[in-house]
């Protein structure tokens, strides 16, 4: 959805997702991480690789709580949040 709860959930997932681990496992390390729409080597590219991962996780936890899932638990049902990740094969 497009409400604030849904936006916060998407932002939390984005912050907590470890793309380096994804690249290592699913592409056998044969990919470059891009930190925005402009890829490395093109004028205007911003290297944001030095962002502190712990700070990102702290922010992700806060957004998850704001979305109604404190500590990954749905406040309404008391059940853990389940996320299904679909990946394509290349």
């Amino acid at each position: 959805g497009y409400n604030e709860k849904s936006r916060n959930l998407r932002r939390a997932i984005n912050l907590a997702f470890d793309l380096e681990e994804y690249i290592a496992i699913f592409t056998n390390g044969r990919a470059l991480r891009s930190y925005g729409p402009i890829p490395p080597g093109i004028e205007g590219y911003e290297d944001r690789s030095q962002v502190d991962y712990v700070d990102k996780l702290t922010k992700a936890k806060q957004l998850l709580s704001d979305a109604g899932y404190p500590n990954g638990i749905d406040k309404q049902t008391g059940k853990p949040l389940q996320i299904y990740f679909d990946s394509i094969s290349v």
Side-chain angles (χ1 to χ4, degrees):
Y2 295 102
N3 59 33
E4 190 67 21
K5 180 179 176 179
S6 297
R7 277 192 300 272
N8 284 339
L9 181 58
R10 285 192 302 273
R11 289 176 63 207
I13 293 168
N14 184 51
L15 285 170
F17 186 76
D18 188 347
L19 189 56
E20 282 81 12
E21 186 75 8
Y22 173 87
I23 289 170
I25 294 171
F26 293 101
T27 69
N28 294 323
R30 296 176 298 187
L32 291 175
R33 179 178 183 145
S34 178
Y35 295 94
I38 302 173
I42 304 295
E43 186 176 339
Y45 170 73
E46 294 180 36
D47 182 6
R48 292 183 246 160
S49 61
Q50 301 305 314
V51 174
D52 186 4
Y53 192 66
V54 174
D55 288 343
K56 286 174 60 175
L57 286 179
T58 301
K59 179 66 175 170
K61 287 180 181 180
Q62 180 60 49
L63 288 167
L64 197 60
S65 182
D66 293 348
Y69 301 97
N71 296 316
I73 304 296
D74 187 332
K75 287 195 299 190
Q76 294 178 346
T77 66
K79 295 181 180 179
L81 173 65
Q82 288 187 340
I83 299 173
Y84 297 93
F85 185 78
D86 293 328
S87 177
I88 61 169
S89 176
V90 266

